[in-house]
Amino acid sequence: MKMWNGFLINLQFFTVFPIRRQLPMEKDYLNKAVQTFPLLGILLGVIYAAVLYALLEWTPFSPLAAAFIIWLLTIISTGGLHLDGWIDASDAYFSYRDIQKRLEIMKDPRTGAFGVLSVIVLLSCRMFFLYEIVENIKPWSYILIVMMPFLGKSAMGLMLTKVLLAKNEGLAYFFQEAAGKTSTNLYPVYLLLPGLVFLSTNLTIFYLYMALLAVFILFLLFLKRKIVSWFGGITGDVVGASVEGVELILWMTIWLLHYFVTA
């Protein structure tokens, strides 16, 4: 029951799905919420892949139209929550100021030019990658699309629990203090389980997933090191920006795999 309530907390916090009930916010439930971040990613990935399949197989829409609808879905399904973090963190980073000033900039409700430009670049790249993926769609493409938000939400949990806090307030502090360091102990199982399934069913998909996982791990290690030097640690905005950055790198990886894998 606690695991289910934790999953509902994720739906309520991080998606636009209507969860119209008062959910318990005690430490145990938030711990379960962090434990189920990857499951939230799987749900979103299944939705993206299923809608894409339906658009391509059962409608007259062109690949461009299908890609655009999925692009919109990736924004709408999360309410643009992580995009807000990307904008604020970009404004702070490109100010080229000291850490304390960057934290102050992220708290400012106003949006600067760098935030606007960075989100345009982010969304344009995502649309480009999506269109190329859809234009060259393969049977394994749908599996990798499911895995993309799964890894993105796994990154969110790992950032929240494994990186130092920049300040003792805000959403990141709330989740890290309540969930604790052990809430991501299940993540290695989550990450390895798809690989074991693919290994026993389809070697091509296994190798593709391993490539995606390798890129995910390397980029996450890079972020863990750089975030402390850039911002002094994590905030809610920095975690949101990290999720967007990880997912963009994964979209790019899936796009590149379509050029180098012919199976």
Side-chain angles (χ1 to χ4, degrees):
M1 191 61 172
K2 287 182 180 179
M3 187 75 81
W4 175 244
N5 279 323
F7 185 72
L8 290 179
I9 289 170
N10 291 337
L11 290 177
Q12 196 172 68
F13 261 86
F14 302 110
T15 74
V16 295
F17 301 137
I19 307 297
R20 297 187 179 91
R21 56 179 283 194
Q22 189 71 28
L23 294 170
M25 301 299 290
E26 287 82 7
K27 182 177 180 178
D28 287 348
Y29 293 98
L30 290 175
N31 183 283
K32 298 303 181 186
V34 175
Q35 283 184 20
T36 55
F37 280 173
L39 303 183
L40 174 65
I42 285 284
L43 173 63
L44 292 172
V46 168
I47 292 172
Y48 301 157
V51 172
L52 178 59
Y53 181 85
L55 289 170
L56 294 178
E57 297 296 326
W58 301 331
T59 74
F61 291 141
S62 67
L64 177 59
F68 179 71
I69 291 170
I70 300 302
W71 178 80
L72 281 179
L73 188 58
T74 63
I75 300 169
I76 294 169
S77 60
T78 60
L81 179 66
H82 302 317
L83 286 174
D84 180 67
W86 176 271
I87 292 169
D88 290 341
S90 296
D91 272 334
Y93 175 78
F94 288 110
S95 70
Y96 299 109
R97 309 290 288 275
D98 59 72
I99 288 174
Q100 192 55 44
K101 186 60 180 178
R102 284 176 171 177
L103 294 177
E104 292 175 11
I105 290 171
M106 281 192 286
K107 289 178 66 176
D108 192 330
R110 294 170 297 181
T111 300
F114 286 118
V116 174
L117 289 172
S118 69
V119 79
I120 290 173
V121 171
L122 174 79
L123 293 177
S124 298
C125 288
R126 186 191 300 176
M127 180 63 205
F128 168 75
F129 296 143
L130 265 169
Y131 171 67
E132 289 262 306
I133 291 167
V134 173
E135 182 70 24
N136 300 286
I137 199 79
K138 301 180 188 296
W140 49 259
S141 305
Y142 298 102
I143 302 295
L144 296 189
I145 288 171
V146 172
M147 292 295 103
M148 190 281 305
F150 163 69
L151 293 174
K153 293 300 181 284
S154 298
M156 183 167 70
L158 291 168
M159 297 295 291
L160 276 172
T161 57
K162 305 303 182 184
V163 182
L164 294 173
L165 288 163
K167 56 184 182 178
N168 294 327
E169 60 179 354
L171 190 61
Y173 172 77
F174 174 68
F175 267 93
Q176 189 175 104
E177 288 298 298
K181 300 288 187 180
T182 62
S183 56
T184 55
N185 286 351
L186 270 177
Y187 280 34
V189 177
Y190 286 143
L191 295 172
L192 291 175
L193 189 58
L196 293 175
V197 172
F198 300 145
L199 180 61
S200 62
T201 56
N202 189 308
L203 273 180
T204 298
I205 297 177
F206 169 74
Y207 291 131
L208 292 169
Y209 175 69
M210 287 295 106
L212 207 61
L213 186 60
V215 170
F216 164 77
I217 292 171
L218 290 172
F219 190 64
L220 207 59
L221 290 173
F222 168 80
L223 283 179
K224 183 180 179 181
R225 181 180 177 183
K226 288 298 184 181
I227 280 171
V228 175
S229 64
W230 291 339
F231 303 104
I234 60 166
T235 67
D237 283 331
V238 171
V239 172
S242 299
V243 173
E244 290 292 348
V246 167
E247 292 190 351
L248 184 66
I249 292 296
L250 294 176
W251 280 123
M252 182 183 72
T253 304
I254 297 171
W255 165 66
L256 288 171
L257 288 172
H258 280 77
Y259 282 93
F260 296 105
V261 179
T262 58

